[in-house]
Amino acid sequence: MIELIVVLKPETTEARVQEITERLEKRGFRVHHSQGEKRTLLGVIGHPEEGLSHSLEAMAEVEKVVPISRPYKLVSREFSPENSVIELNEQLSIGGKQIVVMAGPCAVEGEEQVLESAQEVKKAGAQVLRGGAFKPRTSPYSFQGMKGEGLEMLNRAREETGMLIITEVIDPHNVDKVARYSDILQVGTRNMQNFYLLQELSRIRKPVLLKRGMSATIEEWLMAAEYLMSGGNYQVLLCERGIRTFETYTRNTLDLSAVALAKQLTHLPVVVDPSHGTGRRELISAMSKAAVAAGADGLLLEVHPRPEEAFSDGPQSLTPGDFQQLMDELKGVASSVGRSI
Ligand code: PEP
Ligand code: MN
């Protein structure tokens, strides 16, 4: 367990960071590094003896030593007071001023459908194309996705349009393959506590979007994120996608308080998925705007060229026209909270 976070002064050299790390390691601690924009933070993992804080604080390079009280450590805002800004490519990052929009069909259904979706959502201003090739479905008789073929189709859409790709990974043995085809790997609600999958994802160096389990508390969700970070993958995006409540008029209850709270408790970017969060097309616009007002750093939206023909989640999919209108309307909401879209 990380007990202490050592905040180093901005001017500390890499050589000194290394020396301090080695000194701690000699005393039996493991050390986690986090390189922020301005300073390096060290997470000291182990059971610090009395006086360790003081002896660290006595070092010239140490600005302060922060004991971490939360069960999640690296995920905690105590560990990294500044927002984490995660680079998706040279032009695009998430967690900064710009709100990132990820849009596309629930599932990859065929080459033309993916390409048409990609062109439509790109035209309306989305930067990332979503689409599941592996679909974890409640019923074994439902469409399970186009699997490897679907990944190839996403790849062609990426080549044609230049969009980034987010797609779901469901099998720990498939992590490297899905990582080759995607810019962000998505962990679905049903796999939030698939710890073996999370451990595999902690070894790669690509962003992972971690959906909140449909019955997970906020703390369980953040502990799942800790699995990713403790294994060394710091590129974690949290995603609120609705939780199960007694309400039946909506598919799930979109928990926007979790968005505002996650922004306080953690330094990680938070994405909102109003499509699965409500299950109803007519609610997506209002919930997307509310999500941006609540502090979301990104939106994950289902858009299908012909929702009535969708293999899955048609009722919650926007038409390209709806999506274009939403993107136009979101601009004003984003600027009212100091963001751009
Ligand atoms: C999805 O985004 O395609 C999906 C399956 O979502 P969830 O895991 O939130 O149900
Ligand atoms: Mn879906």
Side-chain angles (χ1 to χ4, degrees):
M1 289 291 263
I2 292 178
E3 305 291 338
L4 297 174
I5 301 296
V6 183
V7 181
L8 299 176
K9 291 182 182 157
E11 61 274 13
T12 310
T13 62
E14 245 179 75
R16 277 301 288 156
V17 173
Q18 203 45 42
E19 275 171 41
I20 297 168
T21 304
E22 280 164 17
R23 199 186 293 186
L24 284 161
E25 283 171 347
K26 277 207 193 97
R27 290 170 75 166
F29 300 107
R30 277 207 297 136
V31 181
H32 256 285
H33 287 195
S34 170
Q35 185 61 56
E37 255 179 79
K38 298 194 193 95
R39 47 172 66 74
T40 304
L41 305 179
L42 305 178
V44 181
I45 304 161
H47 292 287
E49 66 270 28
E50 202 141 336
L52 178 66
S53 261
H54 286 119
S55 65
L56 284 166
E57 257 161 358
M59 292 175 150
E61 297 82 0
V62 173
E63 191 167 286
K64 59 178 175 177
V65 178
V66 195
I68 302 261
S69 53
R70 307 273 184 196
Y72 40 89
K73 308 289 178 184
L74 302 170
V75 162
S76 151
R77 205 175 267 280
E78 289 168 286
F79 178 58
S80 185
E82 290 168 37
N83 285 337
S84 282
V85 179
I86 294 171
E87 204 176 273
L88 301 176
N89 70 7
E90 300 80 55
Q91 286 91 46
L92 187 67
S93 32
I94 184 162
K97 190 165 188 263
Q98 186 175 12
I99 290 162
V100 174
V101 179
M102 311 175 193
C106 177
V108 174
E109 300 169 358
E111 180 119 32
E112 274 175 34
Q113 173 253 14
V114 184
L115 192 56
E116 193 181 347
S117 303
Q119 284 160 343
E120 292 285 5
V121 297
K122 184 182 178 182
K123 193 170 74 189
Q127 302 98 338
V128 183
L129 174 67
R130 64 146 291 148
F134 298 92
K135 297 302 301 174
R137 304 302 299 282
T138 302
S139 165
Y141 308 116
S142 300
F143 174 60
Q144 303 285 316
M146 299 195 76
K147 308 191 167 83
E149 245 187 304
L151 292 178
E152 296 288 348
M153 291 172 188
L154 285 169
N155 203 34
R156 283 195 282 280
R158 178 215 253 143
E159 283 168 6
E160 291 274 331
T161 62
M163 294 191 80
L164 300 179
I165 303 290
I166 179 169
T167 198
E168 181 164 352
V169 58
I170 59 176
D171 180 349
H173 300 104
N174 236 351
V175 163
D176 290 330
K177 181 169 182 182
V178 177
R180 278 200 297 279
Y181 286 90
S182 53
D183 301 285
I184 307 171
L185 290 93
Q186 176 175 323
V187 176
T189 192
R190 294 161 186 80
N191 273 315
M192 187 202 83
Q193 284 187 317
N194 182 340
F195 298 119
Y196 188 50
L197 177 63
L198 298 180
Q199 274 163 357
E200 288 300 307
L201 287 164
S202 78
R203 286 186 246 291
I204 63 165
R205 293 295 171 266
K206 276 215 166 167
V208 174
L209 177 137
L210 179 67
K211 287 199 166 194
R212 180 180 178 187
M214 61 183 89
S215 302
T217 64
I218 292 170
E219 189 161 297
E220 286 164 343
W221 182 31
L222 301 184
M223 291 308 287
E226 189 78 13
Y227 264 86
L228 294 168
M229 292 192 73
S230 66
N233 190 348
Y234 286 12
Q235 302 179 74
V236 179
L237 318 176
L238 296 168
C239 177
E240 162 60 36
R241 53 76 70 199
I243 51 173
R244 197 163 263 198
T245 66
F246 52 79
E247 184 51 69
T248 56
Y249 274 21
T250 47
R251 179 176 175 183
N252 290 290
T253 296
L254 187 66
D255 184 5
L256 289 180
S257 64
V259 177
L261 192 52
K263 291 298 297 177
Q264 289 175 16
L265 296 175
T266 87
H267 51 88
L268 298 172
V270 180
V271 174
V272 175
D273 172 355
S275 306
H276 295 89
T278 63
R280 297 176 65 147
R281 181 182 305 123
E282 67 276 21
L283 301 178
I284 309 294
S285 171
M287 290 299 96
S288 299
K289 292 170 194 163
V292 168
D297 299 290
L299 291 169
L300 183 66
L301 291 160
E302 288 187 339
V303 180
H304 194 287
R306 287 162 297 281
E308 65 290 353
E309 290 174 17
F311 292 3
S312 55
D313 289 349
Q316 67 191 37
S317 299
L318 299 176
T319 63
D322 295 335
F323 178 61
Q324 176 73 67
Q325 188 181 340
L326 172 58
M327 289 296 282
D328 293 342
E329 291 174 8
L330 278 170
K331 290 194 176 86
V333 182
S335 81
S336 75
V337 289
R339 311 289 292 267
S340 60
I341 198 158

